[in-house]
Amino acid sequence: MNIPFSTFQPMHEEIKEELEEAFHEVLESSWYIRGGQCRKFEEEFAAYCGMDYAVGVGNGLDAISLILQALGIGPGDEVIVPSNTYIATALAVTLVGAAPVFVEPELASYNIDPARIEEKISARTKAILPVHLYGRVADMDPVMEIAEKHGLYVVEDAAQAHGATYRGKKAGSFGIASAFSFYPGKNLGALGDAGAVVTNQEWLKEKVKALGNYGSDYKYHNIYLGSNSRLDELQAAFLRKKLKHLDRWNKARQEIATRYLKGIRNSEVILPQSSDKVYGHVYHVFLVRCRRRGELEGYLKQHGVSTLIHYPIPIHLQKAYHMLQMCRGSLPLAEEISDTALSLPLYYGMKQEEVDYIIKMVNEFH
Ligand SMILES: *Cc1c(COP(=O)(O)O)cnc(C)c1O
C-alpha cells in the first residue's frame, strides 16, 4: 500500500463544482483584490470564530506581524513565543524589530507551558504569542491570567487551529487579535497563499487593514508606513466555499485521529493527547514521538507510508537565528521534540483501510 503524507484530491474532487463556480464569479466580477468576496469572507470567518471582525491579508506570517505592528510593538520590545513552533511565529516578531523570547512547551501537549512564562517576563515584554500547535489550543486560561496580571497583550497564532476549541470557545477568540494562515495544507486552506486577522477591536481591525494596504485608510491617503498584504478575491471566493465544509472536514480528521489513538499500541511510540472536555483538537497534524525516530521513519517509508517531521530543527538552532547565540541544550524540550517527532498521514478522504494499515505497521515496529 502506498499512502501519501497528505493529499488535497478527495477534498477538492468533492467540491470541484463549487470551486469552479467561485472562479467564474470572480472572473466575471472584474474585481480582483479586496472586493465583495473578501468582505463577505471576512464577515463569515469572523462569525465562524465567534469574533466581531476579520481582515483578509496575504498570508499567516503577515497576519502575525501586522497585528504586532498595529499594537505598536517594535524595536526594544520583547514578545514571548513558544520554543516549539513553526519558524513563522518567531520571524513575525523579528520582522517588526522586536525580540522573540522563547518559553519551553509542556511535553504532554507540545504547547507553551504557562508555568514557565512568568520567569521570562521583563520590563520590555509587550505580548505573549501562544501558538495552537498541531491543531490543539494552548492552555489559554493561565495564559490570559498571566497576561492580565502583567498588563501584556495576548496575540494568538491560530495558523494550525481553524475550528479548534478550548472550553467551548474557538481558537482565535482569546487574545486581543489572532492570526490565521490559509496556506493550502492548513485545515482551512486556499488554493494559494492567504491569511486573516480576527479581533473584537474596531480600531485594531482598521489599523491592520490599512497597514496591509500601504498604510492607506482612504485611497491615496497614507497614514502609516504600511506594506502590501491583501487577500485576493479569488482566494476569498475559494475560502468562502471551503469554510462551509470545515467543521465536517475537521470531524473527519478527528475520526482518523481517534482511530490512530485507539489502534496504536507500541511501547516505543508516544501518542498525542486526544480531544476531551476542555480541548476540541482538530489534528492539523498527528504527531507521535519515538526515540528511534529515524528508524521508524525509514521502516514506514519502506512499507509505503510517507511521514513528515514537524519540525526537524528548532528555531533557536536555525542558521537564520545564529545571532541569538543559543547552543544545543539551551531549550531541551524543544530539542527533544525536534529529535523524536514524526507526523503520520492524516488528510480528509483517507480510507479506513489506510489508517488500519498504518496502525498495523506502527504496532509491528520493533
Ligand atoms: C503556517 C504557519 C504560519 C505561517 O503561515 P503562512 O501562511 O505560511 O505565512 C505561522 N504560524 C504557524 C504555527 C504556522 O503553522
Side-chain angles (χ1 to χ4, degrees), residues 163-361:
T165 56
Y166 174 85
R167 298 191 194 285
K169 275 184 72 176
K170 286 265 172 65
S173 66
F174 297 89
I176 184 154
S178 304
F180 284 89
S181 162
F182 306 117
Y183 178 79
K186 310 287 180 174
N187 288 33
L188 177 61
L191 307 185
D193 274 317
V197 169
V198 303
T199 181
N200 280 338
Q201 306 294 319
E202 193 181 5
W203 69 268
L204 193 55
K205 180 253 307 184
E206 290 299 334
K207 193 164 177 187
V208 165
K209 203 167 168 179
L211 282 169
N213 189 29
Y214 296 101
S216 163
D217 62 341
Y218 182 76
K219 206 168 177 65
Y220 304 133
H221 291 242
N222 303 78
I223 52 175
Y224 312 113
L225 296 172
S227 57
N228 177 359
S229 184
R230 302 176 293 218
L231 179 60
D232 287 5
E233 284 291 279
L234 207 44
Q235 298 307 340
F238 294 143
L239 286 165
R240 290 184 65 207
K241 299 290 186 192
K242 292 182 84 173
L243 180 59
K244 293 193 194 122
H245 302 279
L246 177 60
D247 285 340
R248 188 169 54 82
W249 289 336
N250 274 342
K251 196 156 166 282
R253 300 184 80 89
Q254 287 167 338
E255 281 163 12
I256 295 164
T258 302
R259 204 168 178 87
Y260 273 141
L261 288 166
K262 283 196 179 133
I264 296 174
R265 290 286 172 272
N266 183 325
S267 59
E268 293 196 58
V269 175
I270 301 167
L271 296 170
Q273 283 182 343
S274 60
S275 277
D276 58 26
K277 286 201 188 69
V278 176
Y279 295 92
H281 197 322
V282 293
Y283 298 97
H284 174 60
V285 299
F286 190 90
L287 180 140
V288 302
R289 283 194 300 123
C290 179
R291 284 254 130 255
R292 295 190 293 136
R293 189 260 311 274
E295 284 171 66
L296 178 59
E297 185 185 17
Y299 158 89
L300 288 173
K301 184 86 233 160
Q302 241 176 16
H303 289 87
V305 179
S306 300
T307 56
L308 273 184
I309 297 170
H310 295 96
Y311 298 92
I313 304 171
I315 300 168
H316 67 287
L317 300 179
Q318 292 281 4
K319 214 186 247 176
Y321 274 112
H322 66 93
M323 66 289 197
L324 298 176
Q325 296 187 301
M326 293 174 79
C327 51
R328 205 161 227 292
S330 57
L331 293 166
L333 295 180
E335 294 165 20
E336 167 80 11
I337 295 166
S338 282
D339 291 343
T340 57
L342 192 68
S343 303
L344 302 181
L346 197 165
Y347 51 87
Y348 177 76
M350 220 179 147
K351 298 193 185 69
Q352 246 170 42
E353 306 92 82
E354 294 173 320
V355 183
D356 290 343
Y357 173 77
I358 295 169
I359 291 170
K360 181 166 172 287
M361 286 302 132

Side-chain angles (χ1 to χ4, degrees), residues 58-62 64 85-86 88-89 131-133 157-160 180-183 186 193-195 284 311:
N59 55 64
L61 173 66
D62 288 353
I64 309 170
T85 176
Y86 182 54
T89 317
V131 181
H132 309 313
L133 203 65
D157 178 344
Q160 301 191 357
F180 284 89
S181 162
F182 306 117
Y183 178 79
K186 310 287 180 174
D193 274 317
H284 174 60
Y311 298 92

